[in-house]
Every structure is written in C-alpha cells, then in structure tokens.
Amino acid sequence: MAEFIKAIFLGIVEGITEWLPISSTGHMILVNEFIDNTGFTDTDLFLYVIQLGAILAVVTLYFQKLNPFSSKKTAEQKRGTWEMWFKVIAACVPAAVIGLLFNDYMDRIENWQVVSAMLILYGIGFIVVESLKRKAKITDISQLSYKTALTIGLFQVLSIVPGTSRSGATILGAIMLGCSRETAAEFSFFLAIPVMFGVSLLKLVTYNGVLTGHDAAVLVVAMAVAYVVSMLAIKFLMDFVKKHDFKPFGWYRMVLGLAVILWFSIIK
C-alpha cells in the first residue's frame, strides 16, 4: 500500500512539473529527501515510464490538431498537420542524437549542485528574456520554418543537463526566436511526444530487472495520476500565458534553486 501512495504522489509531481517550465528533476530531488522513495518507485523504469501518462494527456487534449487522418479536416488541413509533424520530427533529431551520446554522462552529474545552478540560471533567463518585451512574429506553429523548428530542437538538447527542464529550454528558445508564448508552449508539448515516448520505450526495452504484477500495477496507477494532473497543468499553463508572461516561473525557479542549495548545504 505504501508504494501505491508514493506512486500517486510522484504521479502528481510528474503531471505538474513535466509541462510547467520549472524542472521535474529539481522537484524530484527534493521530493526524494522527504519520502522514503525506495523499491520500484526509485528505478529509472518507473521514473521515465510514468511520463507516458503525461504524454497521453497531450494527445487527448490536442488529438484533433495532431491527427492528420481526421475526417473533419480538409485536404489542405491534413497537409498542414503532416507539415507540423515533420517540423516536430526535425526539431527532435538533435535531442535524439546528442541525448543518446551524453545520456550516461548526464546521469552521472545529476546532483543538487548542477540542478540548483540550472534552476537559477534558467530562472534568470526567463526574467531577462521576458523583460525585453519582444513582439512575437510567429503566432502559430504553421508559421514556423524548418530552420526555426530545428533551432528550437537545439534548445531542447540543453534539457539533458539536470535541472534545466525540457519545457523550460524549448519555451525559452522559442520565445527568443520570435514565437508567441502560446505557440512556444504548444510546440514544446508536441516535441515531448516523440522524445518522451522514445525514452520511455528505451527504458522498457533495456530494463534489467523483472517487472512483477505488483510493479506493473504501481506503474499504471502513477501513469493514470500523471495523466489527470497533466491535463489540468496543460490547461492551466495555456490559460495563464494568454494573460501573463513567464516571469513568475522564472522567480519560482530561482527560489527553488536557492531552496535546494539551502537544504543540502546548510540544513541537511
């Protein structure tokens, strides 16, 4: 029972932090300090595969926009949907190549010092970029060129550094390249589909342990919770950026980064 409770809690953390630009790794490090996160919930398989629940939330919310086979779309709209997917794939290539090359190294440097530094650095980045008050030139994904999509993909590569936040890096990069906040957030959601699905599949295929019935049940519960919470988090973010900028997330990251430093260097 205790492991199911932990799975629910971690599913909530995953659902919130995966989509908001605040670093899921930073939160997981702090969460693991306050709960006895041992057993199956502490394996890479669990921590990565619960992301599938979060991905299903994106697919559910944007199914019509993502579906190139929809009978409700005209031939031109279907071509536009395929074009969007080609841009997403192009943007994911850098992360797929560079991420695989440096994955093991980044796992080794995942510590509170690196995480806190990235939390603060990108927090400052959001505040500085938003303070420049750039006028958005790209207000829809259809306006993205392949060059811009690929450049956003290069920003996504930065998220392999622990504490950066995948959504944070891509959103920040997209805004710097002239995207509106809504477009930046939406494209970040879509980029997550192949990236997170691929990582989760890789963890399943390379898992060395034995997945018991109990482990599978724990994983399903966590995925279900991550799915529901992700739906709420995505809706919240899209509503929020229609009226506000990303500065509050920048300040939050800085406070969290300082909290990590305070906890590990002084309190603990």
Side-chain angles (χ1 to χ4, degrees):
M1 181 59 69
E3 198 154 37
F4 280 102
I5 294 174
K6 288 189 290 184
I8 291 171
F9 187 70
L10 293 172
I12 293 172
V13 174
E14 165 65 21
I16 295 174
T17 61
E18 189 59 55
W19 307 113
L20 305 186
I22 54 178
S23 174
S24 58
T25 305
H27 287 80
M28 285 297 187
I29 281 182
L30 285 179
V31 166
N32 287 336
E33 286 296 305
F34 294 101
I35 67 171
D36 179 25
N37 191 24
T38 56
F40 178 66
T41 56
D42 192 38
T43 63
D44 278 350
L45 179 67
F46 175 85
L47 294 175
Y48 280 97
V49 176
I50 61 171
Q51 295 176 344
L52 291 178
I55 284 298
L56 289 175
V58 174
V59 174
T60 300
L61 288 172
Y62 291 95
F63 184 75
Q64 183 61 23
K65 191 165 187 173
L66 293 168
N67 183 13
F69 304 105
S70 174
S71 59
K72 297 179 181 179
K73 291 183 177 180
T74 63
E76 183 178 353
Q77 289 173 326
K78 290 178 179 179
R79 283 195 297 272
T81 304
W82 280 116
E83 185 81 6
M84 180 191 71
W85 272 112
F86 293 148
K87 292 173 184 176
V88 167
I89 293 170
C92 288
V93 170
V97 175
I98 300 175
L100 285 174
L101 289 175
F102 290 93
N103 181 62
D104 291 340
Y105 174 73
M106 290 303 166
D107 284 344
R108 290 197 296 271
I109 66 168
E110 186 175 306
N111 54 57
W112 68 266
Q113 293 93 337
V114 173
V115 169
S116 60
M118 292 301 102
L119 282 168
I120 294 172
L121 178 63
Y122 281 85
I124 294 172
F126 270 110
I127 293 170
V128 170
V129 169
E130 288 288 23
S131 296
L132 296 176
K133 299 187 183 299
R134 300 168 184 256
K135 185 176 180 180
K137 299 177 182 178
I138 302 170
T139 57
D140 190 86
I141 292 177
S142 62
Q143 297 174 329
L144 281 174
S145 66
Y146 279 98
K147 180 180 178 181
T148 302
L150 184 60
T151 307
I152 294 173
L154 291 174
F155 275 95
Q156 182 173 236
V157 172
L158 298 174
S159 67
I160 65 175
V161 181
T164 297
S165 167
R166 189 204 58 79
S167 62
T170 51
I171 289 173
L172 189 61
I175 291 175
M176 291 172 65
L177 292 168
C179 293
S180 66
R181 298 182 186 97
E182 297 94 321
T183 302
E186 197 172 84
F187 194 59
S188 173
F189 298 156
F190 297 167
L191 287 184
I193 297 174
V195 170
M196 292 167 62
F197 181 80
V199 170
S200 298
L201 182 62
L202 180 64
K203 293 298 180 181
L204 279 170
V205 172
T206 59
Y207 184 56
N208 293 323
V210 177
L211 189 65
T212 66
H214 175 269
D215 293 343
V218 169
L219 190 55
V220 169
V221 168
M223 287 172 58
V225 173
Y227 172 81
V228 173
V229 176
S230 290
M231 296 273 283
L232 299 174
I234 292 169
K235 289 180 179 179
F236 163 77
L237 183 62
M238 295 308 292
D239 288 339
F240 182 87
V241 297
K242 289 177 182 177
K243 301 177 182 178
H244 309 281
D245 59 27
F246 281 97
K247 283 184 182 178
F249 295 107
W251 288 111
Y252 178 85
R253 288 181 65 102
M254 292 175 66
V255 170
L256 180 63
L258 291 173
V260 170
I261 293 173
L262 181 64
W263 174 260
F264 284 97
S265 63
I266 300 176
I267 298 176
K268 188 179 179 182

